[in-house]
Amino acid sequence: MRRALSILLLVLLGGAPAAAQIPAEWQSAAQAVIGELERDTPQAAKPWTGAELTQGWSLARAWRKHNNGNIEIILAEYLMFVALCRRGCANSTIEGQGYVGVAEQAKALRNQNGGAYAMTSNAHAWLAGLPDPSGAAQKNAALWAKDLDVAAADFATSNIYALAWLLARNRPTPAEQADAFARFAIFVQGKAWLGARCIDISRVATVLDAPPRVETCK
């Protein structure tokens, strides 16, 4: 049942039109979700210029084109790349590296781990083993391990998950790695613990003609 609901959620929220116009509700969702994720970080003081919304859209579509051969991105991809562009993605880069090179690294990571399901399982085991004083790493690993289909069943989401794990592993300390993975993986998982608080973005774009809903986990 949960797998069916997850697939339905992707269908309802994720299918972006091929046209160049960014859906207004996606832009609102990005600002709401990423604003909430940045609330306890120095990024919270950085004003939104609008450029990160358009840069994230373009980079997400370039990422999808390279990996899937089309530009029909899902919401998780848009949120991921807007979050990255908030920190800078000039010249189609991901944390200073060309997106094509990073895409190949993510592909290699997935293949090295034996495919999407094995990679997802291994990522959760890695997360559970990180010495995170807040305990959020272990909570997230347990929460996300309940249903591997959420991250692994769809090629696009498994690509984003591989990217999230790749970027998180590049952080200098275990605590920073756990925190980075939570802040990226939530775009696929819908829920994540950030320290002592748990954020639920699974309904952020389900209510039409109303502000995006970022909730506390129940």
Side-chain angles (χ1 to χ4, degrees), residues 46-58:
K46 182 179 180 181
W48 286 80
T49 67
E52 57 271 84
L53 297 172
T54 55
Q55 289 172 342
W57 173 261
S58 296

Side-chain angles (χ1 to χ4, degrees), residues 7 16 25 35 38 100 104 107 110 126-128 134 141 143 150 153 163 187 201 208 216:
I7 294 173
E25 61 271 21
E38 293 178 346
V100 172
E104 292 305 306
K107 178 181 178 181
R110 187 174 56 249
W126 164 84
L127 182 63
S134 74
L143 177 64
V150 174
L163 176 59
F187 301 137
I201 68 167
L208 299 178
T216 300

Side-chain angles (χ1 to χ4, degrees), residues 30-48 83 86-87 179 183 186-187 192-201 214-217:
Q31 288 182 289
V33 169
I34 295 166
E36 182 63 27
L37 293 175
E38 293 178 346
R39 183 161 63 86
D40 56 356
T41 75
Q43 281 286 113
K46 182 179 180 181
W48 286 80
R86 281 280 288 166
R87 296 176 176 272
D179 183 69
R183 292 173 189 275
I186 191 175
F187 301 137
W193 285 91
L194 302 176
R197 61 192 181 106
C198 188
I199 297 175
D200 183 349
I201 68 167
V214 177
E215 302 175 327
T216 300
C217 300

Side-chain angles (χ1 to χ4, degrees), residues 9-94:
L9 186 64
L10 285 173
V11 172
L12 290 175
L13 307 186
Q21 183 67 38
I22 310 172
E25 61 271 21
W26 281 31
Q27 297 180 67
S28 298
Q31 288 182 289
V33 169
I34 295 166
E36 182 63 27
L37 293 175
E38 293 178 346
R39 183 161 63 86
D40 56 356
T41 75
Q43 281 286 113
K46 182 179 180 181
W48 286 80
T49 67
E52 57 271 84
L53 297 172
T54 55
Q55 289 172 342
W57 173 261
S58 296
L59 189 53
R61 283 156 67 90
W63 171 271
R64 172 59 84 99
K65 180 69 173 178
H66 176 77
N67 288 295
N68 299 61
N70 63 69
I71 54 174
E72 296 179 359
I73 65 172
I74 60 174
L75 182 57
E77 289 170 312
Y78 181 61
L79 294 175
M80 180 72 172
F81 287 101
V82 171
L84 291 171
C85 287
R86 281 280 288 166
R87 296 176 176 272
C89 60
N91 301 314
S92 298
T93 54
I94 298 174

Side-chain angles (χ1 to χ4, degrees), residues 2 113 116-130 136-152 161 164-165 169 181-182 185-186 188-189 191:
R2 183 175 176 185
N113 280 272
Y117 279 91
M119 180 203 70
T120 299
S121 181
N122 291 341
H124 296 163
W126 164 84
L127 182 63
L130 290 177
Q138 289 68 40
K139 290 178 182 178
N140 283 330
L143 177 64
W144 301 337
K146 292 177 181 178
D147 188 353
L148 297 183
D149 285 347
V150 174
Y161 222 59
W165 193 22
R169 297 198 322 181
F181 193 46
I186 191 175
V188 171
Q189 292 289 351
K191 297 179 181 179

